[in-house]
Amino acid sequence: MTAGDSATPIYRDARDLTPFGPAHVRTPVRELADGVGGLILGALGGRSAALIAVQGPVPRPKRAASRTARAVHEAIFSATDPQRLVTLARAYPGWAGLCYVMAGLLAYQQGRYPYAAGLLQRGLATRNDDEANQYAYAYLSRVVTKVEVADRIHVPVLFSQESVVLALSHALRETGQLEAALHAVSGLPPSLPSALARCALAFELGWDKEVVIWTEGLLNSDDLAAALLILRARSLRRLGARAQADVALREVLRRRKTDPVLRSDALTDRALLLLDNGRKSLNPRDWLRNRPEPAEPFEIIRKDVHERRLWEQDWKRLDGQ
């Protein structure tokens, strides 16, 4: 087994506090509403969607901050072009890693995935000096990145190792580098978002046994768990374990507050399972086989018409005599 060589479930997060917010399942209607909301917020003087996203107000630099820290701060929170941070990375080598990472997150937020992947990889491979690390600890805790951990499922992640690596993994996935994306996310601490990103990539690569092992014992506690259970059911179905796949889908449907999109996916997958099993209906009463075929109504009608014609011919013959 590759991609971390984990032979145990990968979703159990023992931390009291995590950098993840509640997951959002994207639909065309919700995407349109978010876009309209962003336009209204910008018209009312709110923060532009082209700027780096921040939870709450933008932190202000302290008076004692160095000239370099002020320049980087301005580029992170007030610029829309990642190239400005790239220029600072070249000018201040001790801050290069931080500047490349923040430029990559900004490019990722703007949907420039190939550019973001290169910047994030370079930033993760470059060390910062102590001043840059202290700045990141003091000012970047409110930066939030909305990461797509699986198809249609986004999770807001505060600035952390998870936010950078999950963004990198998604950017690599968008450029078709599935194995590199899986390798990037395999070293993250156990959590539902990282497990969903990892299992979604493994499923695309056809690693169904790994998906089943990584999701063993999972219950539907929230929408991320429900999405993982759907992936588990699909992997089990491809492996031929239809009964176990149905158990996973039933667990998705058990929690009534599961997002309607995920419930619809689970119902669709259950219907496909029933078709695989040769069943014609979702109603168990209709699953009985070898039932007698009903007589064709057209055959009965045709026989009645023929008998009536013979009777009429006999009646006319008697009447004529």
Side-chain angles (χ1 to χ4, degrees):
M1 186 181 300
T2 57
D5 296 328
S6 177
T8 57
I10 60 174
Y11 57 85
R12 295 193 178 105
D13 194 343
R15 294 174 292 181
D16 294 331
L17 297 175
T18 68
F20 306 110
H24 301 277
V25 182
R26 179 173 55 84
T27 64
V29 174
R30 293 172 185 171
E31 190 174 5
L32 178 62
D34 290 342
V36 173
L39 291 175
I40 294 174
L41 183 62
L44 295 176
R47 188 167 177 80
S48 171
L51 295 170
I52 200 79
V54 181
Q55 187 181 60
V58 175
R60 295 182 179 181
K62 298 178 181 179
R63 292 183 179 181
S66 66
R67 182 179 178 181
T68 303
R70 289 181 179 274
V72 172
H73 189 89
E74 179 72 16
I76 291 175
F77 293 104
S78 302
T80 59
D81 187 3
Q83 187 60 38
R84 184 170 173 181
L85 282 162
V86 174
T87 302
L88 289 173
R90 293 169 180 169
Y92 306 109
W95 291 68
L98 177 63
C99 289
Y100 282 128
V101 164
M102 296 311 298
L105 290 179
L106 181 58
Y108 174 81
Q109 181 177 297
Q110 297 171 355
R112 302 163 64 180
Y113 299 119
Y115 188 35
L119 289 172
L120 291 172
Q121 285 176 316
R122 189 166 185 177
L124 290 171
T126 306
R127 289 188 176 184
N128 301 301
D129 61 19
D130 291 340
E131 186 183 4
N133 290 329
Q134 291 171 5
Y135 170 85
Y137 179 79
Y139 295 101
L140 299 183
S141 60
R142 295 180 183 176
V143 172
V144 60
T145 304
K146 193 175 183 181
V147 182
E148 182 177 315
V149 294
D151 186 31
R152 300 176 303 171
I153 300 179
H154 294 79
V155 178
V157 192
L158 292 174
F159 182 74
S160 59
Q161 179 191 15
E162 279 98 335
S163 69
V164 177
V165 174
L166 286 172
L168 171 60
S169 178
H170 178 221
L172 291 171
R173 175 162 63 90
E174 290 291 339
T175 58
Q177 303 177 65
L178 298 183
E179 291 192 9
L182 181 56
H183 178 75
V185 78
S186 62
L188 289 179
S191 68
L192 283 171
S194 63
L196 181 55
R198 193 168 166 183
C199 288
L201 288 164
F203 180 80
E204 288 190 54
L205 289 168
W207 297 5
D208 296 310
K209 292 182 180 179
E210 284 79 359
V211 173
V212 172
I213 292 172
W214 293 341
T215 56
E216 188 66 37
L218 178 64
L219 297 177
N220 184 7
S221 57
D222 60 14
D223 288 339
L224 288 173
L228 270 169
L229 285 165
I230 291 174
L231 283 175
R232 173 180 173 83
R234 290 172 180 173
S235 290
L236 286 167
R237 181 187 170 210
R238 288 203 303 206
L239 292 171
R242 299 188 183 94
Q244 296 180 46
D246 187 62
V247 171
L249 294 173
R250 286 176 182 273
E251 178 62 20
V252 175
L253 298 171
R254 175 188 59 79
R255 188 173 65 90
R256 296 186 178 276
K257 291 185 178 181
T258 300
D259 190 279
V261 175
L262 298 175
R263 291 181 64 87
S264 177
D265 287 349
L267 288 171
T268 301
D269 284 10
R270 283 203 72 202
L272 293 174
L273 279 176
L274 294 177
L275 289 175
D276 288 345
N277 291 333
R279 296 167 178 170
K280 299 179 181 180
S281 170
L282 291 175
N283 187 351
R285 295 179 180 177
D286 295 334
W287 294 350
L288 301 177
R289 299 179 181 181
N290 301 323
R291 291 186 298 177
E293 292 291 336
E296 286 289 340
F298 293 107
E299 290 293 333
I300 297 174
I301 293 173
R302 187 170 60 180
K303 186 177 180 179
D304 289 344
V305 171
H306 180 68
E307 293 292 339
R308 183 174 181 83
R309 285 177 180 174
L310 292 176
W311 180 83
E312 288 179 349
Q313 289 176 3
D314 292 343
W315 177 261
K316 288 179 182 180
R317 190 179 301 109
L318 291 173
D319 186 53
Q321 291 177 352

